[in-house]
Amino acid sequence: MEGTEVGARTLAEDFSCALIGEYFGNVAAIDEKTIRENIALGSEGGFPEEDRTVRAETVDYLLRYFSVIYLGLLANEDFRAAFGEAVNFEMEMNGKSRDYEHEMRRQQEQGEQPAPSEHSVIIDLGRFNLSVAKNISGRIKASMDMIAPFAEEFESLVKEETDEDAAKIGFCICNFMYLIKAFEKNPAFYEQVRSVVKAVADGLGIA
């Protein structure tokens, strides 16, 4: 049984590293050590279950608009900065008491809070599920297909990208568990992203 669990964990790690490398390998400074550290945080024994629980609506949104967020990170310095600040905040909260964290988040609250969800996903990257992996890969590909007509503009963004841009994107993507936590626990950040994504999607004429 132990060997099976270790094998599943290795498959989950390899899938996560391959997925990040496939989409971000040419636009971000990738640190595989940091990716694997975040995979551990997304497994039992890493972040507590509360911090690995994500609303189904959040998961659906991020997978649907993956490509638009991807473009935003490439094209806009302010967007990259917002992601970096969100990740840094979650890192600062790591290890702090729940009371301290809740107070900081209360001060952080702006505007309407998300409605309670009837469905949520508990992330466990220590287990490999082939059907889930295929679903995630397929939905990300479908999202990237939405921006396929803008391949020329995309290539221009990649050519204009600096090493500093790539480092900032890499920091956010490699620390993906902190980023996911920010989407779930930082409504102001989530709404900022949704606002930018809507503007970009409307401008490109994609749903």
Side-chain angles (χ1 to χ4, degrees):
M1 177 65 72
E2 183 179 346
T4 302
E5 290 179 356
V6 171
R9 185 165 62 247
T10 300
L11 284 172
E13 284 189 11
D14 290 346
F15 169 75
S16 301
C17 288
L19 193 66
I20 290 172
E22 178 180 357
Y23 288 104
F24 291 96
N26 66 328
V27 300
I30 299 299
D31 181 353
E32 189 169 307
K33 179 174 180 290
T34 300
I35 294 174
R36 293 191 182 276
E37 288 171 353
N38 275 259
I39 290 168
L41 292 175
S43 308
E44 288 187 9
F47 279 160
E49 187 172 294
E50 176 185 342
D51 292 343
R52 292 185 286 113
T53 301
V54 187
R55 291 159 39 94
E57 294 88 346
T58 303
V59 174
D60 288 341
Y61 180 84
L62 294 177
L63 289 175
R64 178 171 181 77
Y65 290 104
F66 175 90
S67 60
V68 183
I69 293 170
Y70 188 95
L71 282 180
L73 286 171
L74 271 174
N76 191 282
E77 171 59 30
D78 291 339
F79 198 59
R80 285 192 294 274
F83 272 65
E85 289 168 8
V87 169
N88 277 318
F89 179 84
E90 297 306 328
M91 287 180 165
E92 290 172 9
M93 291 301 100
N94 198 31
K96 296 289 195 300
S97 71
R98 284 298 180 190
D99 287 344
Y100 177 84
E101 181 178 345
H102 289 161
E103 174 57 23
M104 293 299 292
R105 294 195 188 283
R106 188 192 65 77
Q107 295 178 23
Q108 196 180 50
E109 288 175 2
Q110 295 179 18
E112 185 177 348
Q113 300 302 297
S117 176
E118 295 183 3
H119 304 286
S120 60
V121 176
I122 300 174
I123 296 172
D124 185 0
L125 298 177
R127 302 177 186 276
F128 183 73
N129 184 309
L130 182 59
S131 63
V132 171
K134 286 183 175 179
N135 179 262
I136 291 172
S137 296
R139 294 187 66 183
I140 289 177
K141 182 182 183 303
S143 180
M144 294 301 286
D145 286 345
M146 292 194 304
I147 64 169
F150 309 99
E152 189 174 324
E153 290 84 350
F154 171 74
E155 289 301 325
S156 294
L157 288 173
V158 173
K159 289 177 181 177
E160 293 170 4
E161 186 187 32
T162 67
D163 289 345
E164 183 179 2
D165 296 337
K168 289 178 179 178
I169 295 173
F171 170 75
C172 297
I173 299 306
C174 293
N175 285 295
F176 62 88
M177 281 305 301
Y178 293 100
L179 187 57
I180 290 171
K181 190 177 172 187
F183 274 111
E184 186 62 17
K185 293 178 173 288
N186 186 339
F189 168 64
Y190 191 14
E191 284 308 309
Q192 180 182 5
V193 171
R194 287 173 67 91
S195 176
V196 172
V197 166
K198 184 178 186 306
V200 173
D202 287 349
L204 296 177
I206 58 179

